[in-house]
Amino acid sequence: MNDPRSQLLALVIGIVVFLVIATVIGQVLQRRLSPDRTNAGIENLNARIFAWWVMVALLGIAFIAGRAGVIALFAFCSFAALREFVTLTRTRRADHWALAAAFFVVLPIQYYLVATDWYGLYAIFIPVYAFLLMPIVAVLRGDTERFLDRVAEVQWALMICVFCVSHVPALLTLQIPGYEGRNVLLIAFLVIVVQMSDVLQYVWGKIFGRHKIAPKLSPSKTVEGFVGGVASATLIGAALWWITPFSPLQAGLMALVITLMGFFGGLVMSAIKRDRGVKDWGHIVEGHGGLIDRLDSVIFSAPIFFHIVRYGWSLT
Amino acid sequence: MTTIENSQPPGGKTSGALLRAMAAPVASALILLFARAVTAVRAVWSNDGPPTRQCVYFANHSSHGDFILIWTVLPPRLRGMTRPVAGAEYWLRSWLTRFIGRDVFNAVLIERERATRTEDPIDRMAQTLDGGASLILFPEGTRNQGDDPLLPFKSGIYHLARSRPDIEFVPVWISNLNRVMPKGEFVPVPLICTVSFGRPLRLRDGETKEPFLDRARSALLSLSPHAGEIP
């Protein structure tokens, strides 16, 4: 099972079988319990399963297209996420150049740096260069009203939607001895663990949930769901050690870090939505919320996962 | 046919017209794609769903792209029968705007300058309605670039309603497009836009100008996301 192709094939078959079973269960539940589509829980489950099919199809196409395909896919995700994020910011006319620069200069440069594997620059490009240059672009227009709020919001949008998201394809640039040609499986590991954690927290919460964990932020999240979801997603991560360069114990610990970051990332992003008075970030597919709603956990876990793997396993 | 429709350069009529007819669907597909890429535009219909009959859409106007967004979200069947009403002097100023305005959007080009015009805009809109088309109209008359959410309406919409009293008027609020491309900017910033459709209204028996304009304007304002909020 050390051949990258057979590993990827085994993983793809496993995922497709899982999704087929999930789809059948979802449809049966809908026929039985929500024939008129009024049961929010079942509709949410089916929306998730549908989103998974889309995710698997897109990731599958990108993996076949190789590194360029994966980078293009996540660059597009960054673009769509940034479009959703900036829509909710309270920018003014004077921010126009800075916003145009965020979309058409900063985003392409960040992904170009990832594509050319220039780690020394892409790790600091947005936190240092964009951080200093964007407020300069904004200040040249001379509008001081809520200036700090405005530049902070634009910087946050770039960090979340471009910097963090770009660390998913950056996993492909790591050079891990004995793991050559299989880096794409690190992306699969990250995405599977995050998605399993999200849905298992939901399932555990629905079945055993009693105590709300963050009533003001996310009324549906419970302590029972959190503990059960994190524990079971960690076990799933450990069971997937064979697609990673980690031992089973290390894979479990990685999955634990990923699920914790994902959970708290979800809370942070809900706090922003509540502040802006919206339920979803956008409507990328009608009734399925925005892209950021589907990506929030990945956004928070990707850079941390990247840096732990890079520190512990990579040569570069 | 009016003088505006026939103001093509002499000689280029047959081959030019064929070329334009072939290029128009391509240009239309590109404009739709571009509008969706930049704005991810989404329609919010009233409870009755998309209009099923011929009507006049009237919308707030803050950008040259306004009617493009309405046109983008309309289902293809409605889009094919919907013609924007636009100022002739803007859309006839170069071959490109002429091509986009006339061949792609099939705009009803009206002359705004009262002193020099050869035809009454209301007559022209009424005739277009008689031909079975729906119209997109901006009753503020000009692009709103100030801080007011909506300028006072010009009376044209009332005169149109009076000359064709059976036609329904559908209010359409376009939000965020003025942030995508504020006045004087040439690079659009991608932001999510929504186009909200309200319930149709119609001229009531004996309704005079001011009450009708007020009713139409408040129907439109009520669709704005900040209705009732202090700006």
Side-chain angles (χ1 to χ4, degrees), chain A residues 83 86-87 89 91 96 104 141, chain B residues 37 179-180 182 185 187-188 192:
Chain A
R83 195 173 57 182
V86 173
T87 302
T89 60
T91 52
H96 198 81
F104 302 119
R141 300 278 286 253
Chain B
R179 282 179 71 202
V180 170
E185 304 291 349
V187 180
I192 296 171

Side-chain angles (χ1 to χ4, degrees), chain A residues 122-140:
Chain A
Y122 74 67
I124 60 164
F125 177 61
I126 291 174
V128 176
Y129 290 90
F131 175 74
L132 296 174
L133 292 175
M134 300 294 280
I136 293 176
V137 173
V139 85
L140 289 177

Side-chain angles (χ1 to χ4, degrees), chain A residues 79-80 82-93 95-97 99-100 103-104 141 281-283 286, chain B residues 36-40 42-43 144-146 176 178-183 185-193:
Chain A
F79 174 82
L82 192 60
R83 195 173 57 182
E84 285 176 3
F85 200 111
V86 173
T87 302
L88 289 191
T89 60
R90 298 188 191 120
T91 52
R92 290 166 63 81
R93 239 169 230 189
D95 298 308
H96 198 81
W97 292 349
L99 290 174
F103 279 97
F104 302 119
R141 300 278 286 253
W281 283 95
H283 304 265
E286 201 64 49
Chain B
R36 287 194 192 281
V38 173
T39 68
R42 194 170 64 94
N144 176 6
Q145 290 166 343
N176 253 355
N178 52 344
R179 282 179 71 202
V180 170
M181 192 101 150
K183 182 193 181 185
E185 304 291 349
F186 52 94
V187 180
V189 165
L191 290 172
I192 296 171
C193 295

Side-chain angles (χ1 to χ4, degrees), chain A residues 268-282:
Chain A
V268 170
M269 300 311 272
S270 305
I272 297 175
K273 283 191 287 188
R274 297 219 158 236
D275 175 38
R276 293 298 140 101
V278 294
K279 205 175 124 286
D280 292 316
W281 283 95

